[in-house]
Amino acid sequence: MLKVRFSLLLFLSLILIEKVMCKRLYSYLQSNNIQYQYQFGFRKFYSTTFGLLDVVDNIYNHLDVDDSVIGIYMNLEKAFDSINQEILLHKLSHDGIRGTMLQWFKNYLDNRTQFVVVNGVHSNTLPIRYGVPQGSILGPLLFLVYINDINNAVPGEKLKLFADDTNLFVQGPDICHASDHANLLLSKLHSWFVANKLTLSLPKTCYTVFGKNRNDTCVLKLTDYKLQQVDHCKYLGLYLDKNLDWTVHIDFVYKKILKYVGIFYKLQNKIPRACLRNIYFAFVYPHLFYGIELYANTYYSNLDKLVKLNNKLLRILQGKNRRSNVTDLYVNYRTLPLTLLHHFAVLVFVHKFVHHRHTLPDVFLNYFVSNSLIRKMKNSSK
């Protein structure tokens, strides 16, 4: 029993040390402004929602000036398992992690082994020379360090990253110029991947064309492999379609929650009302709320079927008939209809910008221009 307690204490102490080192490394990277500003993964105050807002807003800005935009979605094969530990240590050193701290990270990565068991037969035990420890506290942050300099491969461009999701949005006055520039950038990125011993999954890498003449022929190649052009692609949980009318994503959410109609009918008289409310917020509401700042910014006719389905689900859970007041359904659950939920999400973002700007990623610090600043600019120009 004493041995078990000792092992447990040692295991917990190792986790505590790793947590402290992760906090110190993250603080160092942040305070020295080392992390790539368009990396939205595994960072405080960064999220997939902010990553989506940044990308979609950038596309809209270029479409407003009549540019064509190509969105390229790259998929890395086993990114976390492919990290070369020697290169990782070199990058840590380059970022200023040296001496005792660098030696600690070297010891942290060294002396790890693995083996395989099949039908009770063990393979030989071999050292692990690639990858960061899966499920560890430090693993995600070390991966960010490894991929942090990828933007140097395409200077002047703004690669959009979320951990190992690597995405490039290229614009041009027409499809021809945009595609030529995109092919040049893809060639440079391929060289970076090869140099850093990372492999791009070409069959899973695709692209979408937004803007004028989006139906024109556009050919993108990587190492003589012709990439697949698609009308829509799932990006950070939302389906970006070439028309940016969000119908594909709305259909996706609709089908996701449609299955709960039959389930809720069976549960409505067997589970207490309070539990039914919890079920709604656990299984339905997250699908509706995620990305609502973007997908609900469409014609109401596109959103109508999702609104009606949500109303139906609330009626079932609350035991109401078709003639019941829709407003009461939302008041009872202390939530909002989709259109108002969209306004609420946008207002929360604006409130953060005005009153809690430190909780936003750096790329949003100058997102809005205040009226007072506009007036000052006008007065100075007179």
Side-chain angles (χ1 to χ4, degrees), residues 39-225:
Q39 171 62 264
F40 290 89
F42 305 121
R43 299 177 67 184
K44 189 177 182 180
F45 302 132
Y46 285 69
S47 68
T48 53
T49 301
F50 286 137
L52 284 162
L53 284 170
D54 175 66
V55 163
V56 175
D57 188 60
N58 180 62
I59 295 174
Y60 281 139
N61 286 337
H62 287 288
L63 296 184
D64 286 344
V65 295
D66 217 20
D67 280 344
S68 294
V69 180
I70 302 176
I72 308 169
Y73 313 98
M74 289 167 273
N75 189 284
L76 292 172
E77 288 186 348
K78 299 181 179 180
F80 278 65
D81 294 329
S82 303
I83 289 178
N84 183 288
Q85 294 179 357
E86 289 186 9
I87 295 177
L88 174 59
L89 291 171
H90 174 75
K91 292 189 177 188
L92 284 169
S93 177
H94 180 269
D95 289 338
I97 311 297
R98 304 188 182 99
T100 304
M101 291 293 289
L102 184 64
Q103 187 61 42
W104 187 93
F105 282 107
K106 186 177 186 302
N107 293 338
Y108 174 78
L109 296 170
D110 279 348
N111 301 320
R112 294 181 181 271
T113 58
Q114 64 182 1
F115 63 90
V116 178
V117 180
V118 179
N119 295 327
V121 179
H122 290 246
S123 69
N124 294 330
T125 301
L126 297 173
I128 301 175
R129 304 198 182 279
Y130 290 87
V132 291
Q134 294 289 320
S136 65
I137 299 171
L138 267 170
L141 185 56
L142 291 176
F143 179 82
L144 296 192
V145 172
Y146 193 84
I147 204 171
N148 191 58
D149 63 336
I150 187 173
N151 197 60
N152 294 335
V154 284
E157 300 298 323
K158 297 177 180 178
L159 277 170
K160 311 296 183 178
L161 307 177
F162 189 88
D164 60 332
D165 283 341
T166 307
N167 307 277
L168 180 63
F169 294 84
V170 185
Q171 63 283 337
D174 51 52
I175 295 296
C176 182
H177 285 83
S179 60
D180 287 345
H181 188 46
N183 279 313
L184 176 62
L185 296 177
L186 284 171
S187 177
K188 292 181 178 180
L189 283 172
H190 175 69
S191 298
W192 186 92
F193 288 131
V194 171
N196 288 271
K197 301 185 184 300
L198 294 174
T199 305
L200 201 63
S201 177
L202 296 179
K204 294 181 181 179
T205 298
C206 58
Y207 66 96
T208 302
V209 178
F210 308 93
K212 62 179 183 178
N213 304 322
R214 54 182 168 265
N215 294 320
D216 289 357
T217 302
C218 174
V219 179
L220 298 187
K221 291 185 177 181
L222 191 57
T223 62
D224 295 327
Y225 182 91

Side-chain angles (χ1 to χ4, degrees), residues 291-334:
I292 198 168
E293 302 94 330
L294 295 169
Y295 82 79
N297 186 31
T298 184
Y299 296 111
Y300 186 81
S301 56
N302 295 336
L303 204 61
D304 184 56
K305 67 177 184 179
L306 196 57
V307 172
K308 290 179 178 177
L309 177 58
N310 192 39
N311 293 343
K312 183 175 183 177
L313 291 172
L314 290 174
R315 285 194 180 97
I316 296 170
L317 291 172
Q318 297 178 33
K320 305 292 185 179
N321 56 45
R322 290 184 178 181
R323 296 182 179 180
S324 59
N325 190 304
V326 173
T327 303
D328 292 340
L329 299 175
Y330 291 92
V331 171
N332 292 339
Y333 271 23
R334 297 183 180 179

Side-chain angles (χ1 to χ4, degrees), residues 48-49 52 236-238 249 285-293 295:
T48 53
T49 301
L52 284 162
L236 299 182
L238 256 67
H249 183 73
Y285 183 81
H287 293 298
L288 297 173
F289 189 72
Y290 180 69
I292 198 168
E293 302 94 330
Y295 82 79

Side-chain angles (χ1 to χ4, degrees), residues 309-371:
L309 177 58
N310 192 39
N311 293 343
K312 183 175 183 177
L313 291 172
L314 290 174
R315 285 194 180 97
I316 296 170
L317 291 172
Q318 297 178 33
K320 305 292 185 179
N321 56 45
R322 290 184 178 181
R323 296 182 179 180
S324 59
N325 190 304
V326 173
T327 303
D328 292 340
L329 299 175
Y330 291 92
V331 171
N332 292 339
Y333 271 23
R334 297 183 180 179
T335 185
L336 296 168
L338 290 188
T339 51
L340 294 180
L341 200 60
H342 164 65
H343 296 159
F344 171 76
V346 173
L347 288 172
V348 168
F349 176 71
V350 175
H351 182 270
K352 285 184 177 181
F353 179 85
V354 175
H355 299 288
H356 305 282
R357 203 170 299 187
H358 66 281
T359 64
L360 292 176
D362 292 344
V363 295
F364 291 108
L365 294 183
N366 299 309
Y367 192 71
F368 297 107
V369 179
S370 64
N371 288 334

